[in-house]
Amino acid sequence: MKLKGILCAAIFFLMGSALQAKPQFGKAVLFNEGWRFNLSDLKDGAQTGLDDSKWRQLNLPHDWSVEGVYSPDKASATGYLPGGIAWYRKTFTVPATEKGNSVFIYFEGVYNQSEVFINVQSVGKRPNGYIAFMYDLTPFLKYGEENLISVRVDHSLDADSRWYSGSGIYRDAYLVYSSPVHIDLWGVYFNASNITDKKAEVSVETTINNSLASGATVKILHEIIDPASGKVVAKGSKNLEVGAKLKGIIKQTITVHSPKRWSLEQPNLYTLKTVVQQNGKVIDQNEQQLGLRELTFDPDKGLAINGVWTKVKGVCIHHDAGCLGSAVPREVWRRRLLTLKDMGCNGIRMTHNPQASDVYELCDELGILVMDEAFDEWEFAKKKWIKGWNKGIPGFQGAASYFNEWSDRDLADMVRRDRNHASIIMWSIGNEVDYPNDPYTHPVLDHANINQPVQGGYLPNNPKAERLGGIAKRLAAIVRSLDSSRPVTAGLAGVVMSNETDYPGTLDITGYNYTEDRYAQDHAKYPKRVIFGSENGHSMESWKVVRDTEYIFGQFIWTGIDYLGESGAWPSRGFYSGFLDFGGFIKPRGHFRQALWSVKPVTYIGTYHQPAKNNHLSMDAWPVWNYKEGEMIRVVCYTNTAKSRLMLNGMQVGEVKKYDDIKGIIYWDIPFHEGKLEVIGLDKDEKAICNYALQSSDRPYALTAQSDVSSVSKNRGLAQVVLQVVDEKGVPVMISEDEVTCTIEGPATLLGLEASNNSDMGDYNDNVQRVYHGRLLAYVQATGKTGTVTLKFAAPWLKETNVTINVTE
C-alpha cells in the first residue's frame, strides 16, 4: 500500500503571549501554584469546612511516588516506590467581571483514577493517568468569592504499569477563561495537501462550541504567518452559524505560496493564527505552529518525507527523569532530545502512552519524528511483579480494568490533542497486546518454528487471539475518523500468532517488536504490508537489517533513556539499557549507536580488562584509563571512520585498524601505562578527521560545576548544573564515588540530585548524593522572585566549588 499524509504542528500562544497554553482556546492561565496536599484518603476531602491548614503546601507539577522510600517489598514493575491515595486542594477567586463567561479546569495528566470537585460538587472522573482532560466549572462557581477545587487521586493499585508511572498531578494544570461561544477544546485541526515548491493547500477545520441558550453567528479568520519574516503569507475567513447549546464545524482551505517545508534537517514552522469574531468583536483566538510536510509509506521502499526516502533511527522513551519522577520540566526534555539528536537519533516512540505536550512541541521544533502511542494493555491486564522481582505469583493490576469503558474516549482525546504536530508520523493503538499467552493464545503456538517466548505453547483456557482483530478494527476506525493523514500502527510482540488473526490487517503499517528474522518471509508472504521495527535491541545485526533492507523504514531501540521501573532484582531503580542515563548523560552504548547513526565523523574509546574469551567486545566500555601498571587492557573503539589509529602518550600503539562492518567495534589489547590514550579517526587515505582521548587521573582533589545556563526566568526557570570530581590537574576522576552536599542561597529550590546510579536505592529527597562515574546533575528551579542564586557543593577532603545563576524577569 501507499499512504500519503501531510500534517502540521501545533504550539499554542495565548492571546499573543509566549505561554504555551495546551487547551488551545480562551485565556489559559497556569494553575500550578498554591496547592495543599495530603497523602492519605479522607472521607470528606472535598468539603469546604475541612481544616487543611496543616496540609503540605506545594506547587504543581507534583509526583508523590518519587518522594517515597525505595523498598524491596514494593513492586519491581514500578521501581520499588509506593503509590497510595492522596488529596489536592486549592482556593481561588474568579473576578466578578468574568460572570457571564465560561471557566474550565484543564489537567495535562493526573495519575490516576482521579476525581475533581469544585465547591464540593464532583465535576468528573478520569481513570487514565496519561490523558489530558478538562471540566467546565462554570455552573458551580461563585464569582467574586472564594472557590475550592479538590482533586482525589487513587493510585492504591500501584503496580498498574510495567514501568514507573508516578502518582499525583504530575503535569501542568490550567484555568481557562472563555466567552460562552468559543473554539472547542483542541478545536482547530489542520492538514495540507498538494505541496509543491510553488504552493501548498492548507485545510483548516474549526469547531466552535456555543454554550448559550440562543444561536450565534461568528466569523472565523485564519492567518498563516511566515516563520522568518513574521509577515502574513496566506489568510481566509468564513461565517458560521452555531445553534443553541451546540457545536458547529467549518472548513476552509488556504493556499501558501512558495512553501517552506518541515523536515528533519530544517524543521520550518509557520504560525497559524485563528481569530473568532462576533458582531465585529474578537471573542476567542489562538496560535499554533504549522509544519508543512508530506509522508509516503510504501511496502517496498519504506518511508519518504517530502519525497526523500528516510530511515528512522528511533528510540523508545518513558516519561520520567530519574530523581524527578514523572514531573519533568520542559528544559530537561530539551537537553535530552538535543543529546539524542546529536547522536544521530531522528525518531521517538512514546512508550507506551501519550507524553506531556512539551515533548511533542520540542520534537516539532527540533525536527524529530514521533510515533504516538495510546495503550500497553487492552481488555486484559498483563502480568506484573507486585512484590519484589521474579518471585511469587504475578499480579494483574492495570489499565485493562477501565479499557472497555474508556478506551474510545482516551484514544480520541490523544488524537485530538496531538494531531496538529508535524513531528507525529503515525498513531499506535497498542503495544504487545498480542504477547503470546499473556494472555491471548492460539494453536499456532504449538508449532516448532515459533522463535519467540510462548510461555507454554497453546493454552486453550486463555482468551483466543482472534479477539484482537475486532478490538483493533474499532480503535483504528476512531483514529481514522479524527485524522486520516497518518497511518495506524501497533507494536506486535507475537507477530507469528497475530498473523493467524485479522489484527495486522486492520493496521496501515505494522510494527514488529524484536522479530527481525520475520521481515523477509513476511514481506514475501504479505507484499502489501509496510513493516518496520517498532521495538528493537541494541545489536549491530538489528541495525544492519534496517540499513540494508530497502523496505524496512526504521527501528526504535529499547531504550533511548534509562527509566524508573521495570526493574530487576533489588537493588535496581529501573531499566538500564538506555543510550542516556537517568541524568541525560550519554553512556558508552550511546557512543556505539552514534557511530552507527551519525552522518558526521565520530569516534570513541572505552576500556576494560582483557577478557578471557577473546571475542568479547562490549558496547558498554566506560572511558576510564586507570589500571595497574602493565595490566593487559582491552581498548574498544566505536567509530564510523574508515580507519583508526591508537596513540599512547604520543606514540602509536599497535596497527592502524580498519572499520569492522560485521561487529561495529574494533579493538586493541595493550598493557596499561599511565598517561594519555587517544584514538584518531582516519579517512580512507589515513587523514585525521576526528579524535577522542582519555587521561589517567590522580586521586580526587576538587569539585567543579557548570550550569547549562547563566540565567533563568523567575517563572519556573530551570538550570541544570553538572558537578564533576577532578584531580589536582583538573582531570575528571571517573572512579570517584564521593558524597556531595548541595546548598542553595537565593530565590531557587533544588528539585533533585541525579547521579544516574541504578543500584543506589537511597534518599533522593535531600541535598546529599554520591557521585557516580565522578559526576552528578543538580536540577535547580526558580521560585518566583528575581535575584542571584548561589549553589555551593562540598564533599569531605575535596576542594569546594560554587555556581552563580541570575534569576530575571
Side-chain angles (χ1 to χ4, degrees):
M1 64 166 282
K2 289 190 177 182
L3 188 151
K4 291 190 177 183
I6 307 94
L7 240 287
C8 322
I11 299 177
F12 175 77
F13 292 89
L14 168 62
M15 301 301 183
S17 76
L19 174 64
Q20 285 154 352
K22 320 304 180 186
Q24 302 173 10
F25 77 97
K27 179 183 178 182
V29 180
L30 273 172
F31 202 57
N32 287 341
E33 295 188 0
W35 289 80
R36 292 184 181 272
F37 172 74
N38 188 311
L39 183 53
S40 65
D41 198 11
L42 301 169
K43 181 180 179 181
D44 300 318
Q47 293 299 315
T48 54
L50 179 69
D51 181 7
D52 60 9
S53 60
K54 295 182 180 180
W55 289 23
R56 176 184 170 192
Q57 297 185 50
L58 54 76
N59 298 328
L60 306 179
H62 173 242
D63 172 8
W64 83 67
S65 283
V66 80
E67 298 173 345
V69 177
Y70 288 96
S71 175
D73 66 346
K74 301 297 182 184
S76 62
T78 53
Y80 300 102
L81 284 166
I85 300 175
W87 282 86
Y88 295 83
R89 287 161 58 100
K90 175 175 176 172
T91 57
F92 66 102
T93 301
V94 176
T97 54
E98 292 289 343
K99 194 166 186 178
N101 288 329
S102 299
V103 182
F104 303 85
I105 184 71
Y106 178 89
F107 291 101
E108 274 219 64
V110 182
Y111 205 92
N112 65 347
Q113 298 285 350
S114 66
E115 183 171 10
V116 178
F117 303 82
I118 179 69
N119 297 327
V120 186
Q121 176 66 45
S122 175
V123 291
K125 298 180 179 181
R126 196 65 178 239
N128 192 320
Y130 298 114
I131 298 293
F133 59 91
M134 184 181 77
Y135 300 126
D136 187 357
L137 305 182
T138 312
F140 314 105
L141 285 175
K142 296 178 288 186
Y143 290 85
E145 301 179 42
E146 190 174 83
N147 296 273
L148 171 68
I149 189 163
S150 310
V151 183
R152 182 179 185 269
V153 185
D154 183 355
H155 194 201
S156 53
L157 298 177
D158 52 8
D160 59 349
S161 284
R162 295 185 298 133
W163 56 89
Y164 179 83
S165 61
S167 302
I169 309 177
Y170 68 101
R171 294 178 185 165
D172 286 331
Y174 293 91
L175 203 63
V176 186
Y177 298 87
S178 79
S179 164
V181 181
H182 58 85
I183 299 168
D184 199 23
L185 174 65
W186 312 311
V188 178
Y189 165 55
F190 42 84
N191 60 62
S193 59
N194 303 319
I195 299 179
T196 67
D197 291 341
K198 293 184 178 181
K199 68 176 184 177
E201 295 179 356
V202 180
S203 173
V204 187
E205 177 184 291
T206 308
T207 302
I208 300 296
N209 190 334
N210 177 17
S211 63
L212 295 173
S214 58
T217 299
V218 296
K219 183 177 183 179
I220 301 168
L221 304 93
H222 297 296
E223 293 180 341
I224 297 176
I225 302 169
D226 182 83
S229 67
K231 296 181 178 180
V232 175
V233 295
K235 59 184 178 179
S237 65
K238 274 189 178 182
N239 293 333
L240 173 67
E241 294 184 5
V242 187
K245 304 289 185 179
L246 293 176
K247 296 180 181 181
I249 299 176
I250 192 169
K251 297 181 180 180
Q252 302 183 50
T253 299
I254 306 170
T255 300
V256 178
H257 295 282
S258 302
K260 300 174 183 177
R261 291 178 174 88
W262 183 95
S263 67
L264 297 173
E265 298 75 23
Q266 293 184 308
N268 296 305
L269 293 170
Y270 291 85
T271 299
L272 174 66
K273 183 177 181 179
T274 300
V275 178
V276 182
Q277 295 180 347
Q278 187 177 31
N279 299 323
K281 179 183 177 182
V282 175
I283 60 171
D284 201 2
Q285 67 178 9
N286 73 35
E287 295 183 5
Q288 301 185 53
Q289 297 298 330
L290 180 159
L292 305 175
R293 55 100 179 100
E294 183 177 19
L295 305 175
T296 303
F297 291 89
D298 184 276
D300 295 317
K301 296 180 68 65
L303 165 67
I305 302 173
N306 301 321
V308 178
W309 297 104
T310 302
K311 294 292 187 181
V312 176
K313 305 169 183 177
V315 298
C316 303
I317 62 170
H318 281 297
H319 72 164
D320 70 275
C323 67
L324 299 179
S326 57
V328 185
R330 183 185 182 96
E331 296 93 331
V332 175
W333 279 116
R334 173 181 287 278
R335 174 173 166 267
R336 290 173 158 210
L337 292 174
L338 284 170
T339 302
L340 287 171
K341 183 153 188 177
D342 185 64
M343 277 175 43
C345 171
N346 64 14
I348 300 292
R349 180 188 179 198
M350 305 301 190
T351 47
H352 299 292
N353 46 261
Q355 302 271 355
S357 294
D358 282 339
V359 185
Y360 303 90
E361 292 167 359
L362 288 167
C363 288
D364 292 339
E365 175 188 332
L366 300 176
I368 298 174
L369 306 174
V370 172
M371 174 179 172
D372 210 3
E373 191 157 73
F375 307 116
D376 185 55
E377 296 175 345
W378 285 355
E379 58 178 339
F380 296 104
K382 295 175 180 176
K383 298 174 183 176
K384 304 174 185 72
W385 298 112
I386 304 299
K387 291 186 180 295
W389 177 80
N390 204 24
K391 295 179 181 179
I393 301 173
F396 292 92
Q397 300 176 15
S401 62
Y402 51 82
F403 177 82
N404 289 334
E405 180 181 359
W406 283 93
S407 57
D408 289 10
R409 183 174 177 182
D410 287 344
L411 179 60
D413 283 353
M414 181 190 83
V415 175
R416 292 179 64 237
R417 188 196 71 165
D418 295 342
R419 60 188 174 177
N420 288 338
H421 288 286
S423 55
I424 296 176
I425 62 170
M426 51 183 152
W427 304 109
S428 171
I429 59 175
N431 170 67
E432 295 187 347
V433 295
D434 62 334
Y435 199 91
N437 290 334
D438 191 14
Y440 296 100
T441 195
H442 191 278
V444 75
L445 299 181
D446 280 336
H447 292 188
N449 63 346
I450 302 295
N451 58 350
Q452 58 191 100
V454 297
Q455 300 193 28
Y458 177 52
L459 301 177
N461 293 328
N462 276 27
K464 302 298 184 285
E466 288 81 356
R467 299 171 63 93
L468 294 165
I471 299 171
K473 183 178 181 181
R474 171 172 61 84
L475 297 177
I478 292 170
V479 174
R480 295 180 185 121
S481 72
L482 296 168
D483 177 35
S484 60
S485 70
R486 299 177 181 87
V488 177
T489 189
L492 273 59
V495 66
V496 176
M497 180 179 74
S498 290
N499 281 343
E500 302 297 316
T501 75
D502 295 334
Y503 183 18
T506 66
L507 308 173
D508 299 311
I509 63 177
T510 309
Y512 283 43
N513 283 13
Y514 300 104
T515 45
E516 291 91 349
D517 62 320
R518 298 291 307 184
Y519 291 168
Q521 57 186 301
D522 279 13
H523 178 63
K525 188 174 182 179
Y526 310 103
K528 294 184 179 181
R529 181 180 294 182
V530 179
I531 300 173
F532 71 101
S534 45
E535 189 171 315
N536 305 87
H538 291 247
S539 71
M540 178 73 168
E541 292 77 12
S542 69
W543 165 240
K544 287 176 67 176
V545 73
V546 176
R547 184 194 69 182
D548 301 337
T549 307
E550 185 177 21
Y551 58 83
I552 302 299
F553 71 76
Q555 64 173 187
F556 291 89
I557 300 297
W558 194 269
T559 175
I561 310 172
D562 292 343
Y563 60 93
L564 298 176
E566 209 161 355
S567 303
W570 178 278
S572 172
R573 295 166 65 198
F575 207 89
Y576 204 60
S577 71
F579 294 144
L580 312 184
D581 62 24
F582 292 121
F585 297 108
I586 188 168
K587 294 162 62 179
R589 61 178 49 208
H591 287 287
F592 174 73
R593 186 59 43 168
Q594 184 178 37
L596 300 182
W597 282 357
S598 180
V599 296
K600 63 182 179 182
V602 295
T603 193
Y604 167 92
I605 46 174
T607 67
Y608 48 92
H609 286 96
Q610 184 180 16
K613 293 184 178 180
N614 194 53
N615 61 354
H616 174 70
L617 295 176
S618 173
M619 67 177 72
D620 295 311
W622 290 91
V624 176
W625 193 236
N626 281 80
Y627 297 94
K628 293 180 180 179
E629 188 71 17
E631 279 189 297
M632 290 301 295
I633 304 300
R634 174 153 292 182
V635 180
V636 294
C637 176
Y638 316 144
T639 186
N640 58 8
T641 62
K643 299 178 182 180
S644 297
R645 177 183 293 120
L646 187 66
M647 308 289 289
L648 179 58
N649 296 326
M651 302 292 292
Q652 180 173 325
V653 182
E655 62 181 332
V656 171
K657 296 288 184 80
K658 293 182 179 180
Y659 179 74
D660 186 340
D661 194 47
I662 303 299
K663 299 177 180 177
I665 302 175
I666 56 178
Y667 72 96
W668 297 263
D669 288 333
I670 64 173
F672 172 75
H673 296 292
E674 183 178 344
K676 180 181 179 181
L677 184 70
E678 181 180 21
V679 66
I680 300 174
L682 311 171
D683 64 15
K684 60 182 178 60
D685 298 319
E686 298 195 4
K687 178 183 177 181
I689 52 177
C690 58
N691 71 300
Y692 188 93
L694 306 180
Q695 178 69 49
S696 302
S697 65
D698 293 326
R699 292 182 179 275
Y701 172 77
L703 301 174
T704 63
Q706 184 173 4
S707 174
D708 64 332
V709 292
S710 59
S711 64
V712 298
S713 167
K714 70 175 185 179
N715 298 317
R716 300 195 304 166
L718 186 83
Q720 299 173 76
V721 180
V722 178
L723 178 100
Q724 179 71 58
V725 177
V726 298
D727 67 11
E728 196 166 2
K729 297 177 182 178
V731 176
V733 184
M734 281 284 294
I735 58 177
S736 167
E737 295 183 354
D738 291 270
E739 184 177 85
V740 175
T741 299
C742 174
T743 56
I744 295 180
E745 296 177 357
T749 187
L750 180 67
L751 294 185
L753 296 173
E754 181 56 73
S756 303
N757 186 349
N758 188 45
S759 62
D760 185 346
M761 313 300 284
D763 186 357
Y764 285 84
N765 300 311
D766 60 14
N767 63 333
V768 180
Q769 183 64 46
R770 286 193 177 276
V771 299
Y772 185 59
H773 291 127
R775 70 184 172 197
L776 59 75
L777 179 69
Y779 297 107
V780 183
Q781 189 170 58
T783 53
K785 296 181 180 179
T786 61
T788 300
V789 174
T790 301
L791 276 76
K792 297 182 179 180
F793 296 96
W797 307 294
L798 300 185
K799 186 177 180 180
E800 300 178 1
T801 190
N802 60 66
V803 172
T804 300
I805 301 166
N806 295 318
V807 182
T808 64
E809 291 287 345

